[in-house]
Every structure is written in structure tokens, then in C-alpha cells.
Amino acid sequence: MNELVFFINNVVIAGSVTGSIYAIGAVGVTLIFSIMRFAHFAHGDMMTFGAFMVLLLSTAFPGAGDAFGVPAALVLLPVAMALTALLAVGIDRAFYKPLRAHGVKPIVLVIGSLGVTLMLQGLIRLFSGTGGQSLYVDDRKEIFRLALPFENVRVPVVITEPQLYLFVITVLAVVGLHFFLTRSRLGKAMRAMSDNPDLAQASGINTNTIVAVTWVIAGGLAAIAGTLLSLDVTFKPDLSFFLLLPIFAAAIVGGVGHPFGAVAGGFVVGFAETLAVFNWSVMLRPFRDSLPEWLTQGGNLAFVGTEYKIVVPFFILVVILVWRPTGIFKGKVI
């Protein structure tokens, strides 16, 4: 049972946390691709920008969450979402819209997004510095240790306060996005434009409005993902470096242009990472008497070391592109 609890802490909970972050980030990437047909490499930096806005707001109003009994960062998150959405719309108007007006190919927009990435990274580092900072400005992160009612179990199930918020907000975001895309007029117009932009425009759909709404949703989701990740660990200006490849891998695994596929892809990539770095020798302890000696001598039996965790989504990305380019849910081929 102790080994099972260890597995729950280091795989089930950790994989769910990582998968939730990747899922929220991948939804924004796949929405942008489905509407504007280009891979937005600056999305990871929008996530970092959203978390940085929360850090600034929490520093300015550290007692904002006292009345609600939650961290100030969580109360101020909607403001950061609005600011990140405004940034996303502004980036589109300043950089991408002029390029689209000239009828450039998608690869030019991709190169442009790399330039936007460098600019955002430079601005964030200029104002935040290069070190890590906690979003818990005047508070401490609560850690819940749940003891199981078994006599021989000495290890508790450990879950943190931000992880609970992450699970709840992820469910609310996915359910809210589902109802928006399937029930609202704007959501149906977005789906129509994703399927056939020319036909959607000929049908009277205001494509400029759809593009703006897409950026607003992508920016808001980016702020959520960046903030919740920074709450659980710490804010770093190079956050996007560790997020960009996994969220693109998640979007491609689920099916590019398919929002709910991006959610599934996020959890696939998140659990794959977690399982790859998990020390499987712990799970073999109860069977030490019936296994070869080299398996029971201890040490780390992980598939890859923690420092090479970033290789896992890259490997998944290559396999999916070769084996099934449309992803799990048969999205668009890039």
C-alpha cells in the first residue's frame, strides 16, 4: 500500500497537474490554428505574461483574497485574463493582421510569431528580472496530507491548495468552452470558420469578430494556465521555454484544430512525461523475492532522468507526426 500511495502522489496527482496545464495551453494553440491556420509560437510567452500580471497585481493588492479565503492571485486572475486577452488582440492587430492583409503564406506568420516570442520574453525579463518569484505574496501555500485508513500505510496522499484550484478551474474551463462552442452563436460561427473560412465569410459571418474572439479566448486560457502553474511551483520569466514544446505536442496528439482533442492530448503528454521519469524500482519492492537481483538492488529505474523530461513530448510529437499526423481526433494536418 505504501508503494501504491507513492504511485498516486508521483504519477496520478503529478500527471493530472501537468496534464491540466498542458490541456489548457494546448486549447489556445489549437483554437488559433483552427481559425488563422498558423502555429502561434508566442503562446507560451502569453502564458508567462498572464502569470506575470498576476504577480504584479498580487504585489500591489496582497490582501485581495482575504475576504474570500483564497490566495490573492486567484481573485486577481480575471483581471490578468483580461490584460492577457488585450495583449493577444493587440499583437494580432499590430503584427499578424497586416501580414494576413498582404496574403502571406502561413509560414511567414509562424516566423512572425517567433519574433513576437523574442519581444515578449525580453519585455518580461526586463521588468521581472531573471529569478523565480512566488505568487503567494503575503500568504503560504497550504499542503494537505491525507492519511489513508490502513494500518501499514505510513505515507500520506499529498495534494497542494493550488492543485485543487487547478483541477476545479480546468473542469470549469473545458465545460464552459464546450457550451460556448456548441450553444452560442459566436461559438457556432467559430466552428463554421474553422471548417471553411471562405464559405463562412460568404455566409455573412464577420470574420474579424471571430478572429478577435479567438484571441480573447486564447489569451484568457493562457493566463489561467500560466498562473495556476506558477501558483503550484513558482513564477519564472523563462516559463515558456518549458511549456511551448509540450503544449504543441498535446495539440498535435489530440488533433490540430480540435479543442477537445487538445484536452485529451494534454493529459496524454502530461502522464507520458510523469510515467517516463517515475522511479519504477519502488513499485517492485513487494516482489523483491521473486525478481532478479539487478531489479531489486535499488537505484533509479526511470525510463529517462528528470533533466531529460523535455525529450518525452518531443518523442511523442515525432511519433505522432510520422504515424498519425491527424492526431487522436483526426484534426487538420500541418
Side-chain angles (χ1 to χ4, degrees), residues 38-42 45 96 108-118:
F38 81 99
H40 188 232
F41 282 104
D45 295 282
Y96 303 135
V108 178
L109 291 170
V110 173
I111 300 301
S113 73
L114 290 175
V116 173
T117 295
L118 295 176

Side-chain angles (χ1 to χ4, degrees), residues 13-248:
I13 294 177
S16 298
V17 170
T18 306
S20 297
I21 297 295
Y22 292 167
I24 298 174
V27 167
V29 167
T30 204
L31 281 176
I32 293 171
F33 185 90
S34 64
I35 299 298
M36 281 156 281
R37 299 297 195 276
F38 81 99
H40 188 232
F41 282 104
H43 195 75
D45 295 282
M46 285 168 49
M47 297 167 69
T48 309
F49 177 84
F52 181 52
M53 290 298 100
V54 170
L55 176 63
L56 291 180
L57 291 167
S58 299
T59 304
F61 307 101
D66 294 345
F68 303 94
V70 297
L74 211 61
V75 174
L76 298 168
L77 176 58
V79 181
M81 291 171 62
L83 293 173
T84 309
L86 187 63
L87 172 73
V89 174
I91 288 173
D92 179 66
R93 296 287 175 86
F95 297 100
Y96 303 135
K97 189 175 181 179
L99 293 175
R100 291 197 302 271
H102 285 85
V104 301
K105 293 183 179 180
I107 187 61
V108 178
L109 291 170
V110 173
I111 300 301
S113 73
L114 290 175
V116 173
T117 295
L118 295 176
M119 285 189 290
L120 286 178
Q121 284 183 359
L123 287 172
I124 292 171
R125 289 174 183 270
L126 178 65
F127 291 101
S128 71
T130 57
Q133 301 178 63
S134 175
L135 292 191
Y136 281 85
V137 179
D138 278 352
D139 201 357
R140 296 185 63 183
K141 177 170 60 178
E142 286 197 45
I143 300 175
F144 304 101
R145 293 176 172 83
L146 311 176
L148 297 182
F150 298 103
E151 184 178 350
N152 296 326
V153 178
R154 300 182 300 274
V155 181
V157 174
V158 179
I159 189 167
T160 66
E161 181 185 19
Q163 290 170 354
L164 293 176
Y165 294 137
L166 171 62
F167 297 147
V168 173
I169 293 175
T170 299
V171 172
L172 292 177
V174 171
V175 172
L177 182 65
H178 169 73
F179 281 109
F180 174 78
L181 292 176
T182 57
R183 302 292 176 85
S184 69
R185 288 188 62 184
L186 272 176
K188 292 176 182 178
M190 286 177 64
R191 292 164 60 196
M193 188 170 172
S194 173
D195 291 336
N196 194 323
D198 296 330
L199 181 59
Q201 190 169 14
S203 303
I205 294 175
N206 189 331
T207 55
N208 289 327
T209 300
I210 299 304
V211 168
V213 170
T214 302
W215 282 111
V216 167
I217 295 174
L221 291 175
I224 291 174
T227 299
L228 292 175
L229 176 60
S230 299
L231 268 175
D232 190 37
V233 285
T234 186
F235 169 79
K236 295 180 179 179
D238 60 350
L239 203 63
S240 61
F241 177 78
F242 303 99
L243 291 173
L244 186 61
L245 182 59
I247 62 178
F248 267 91

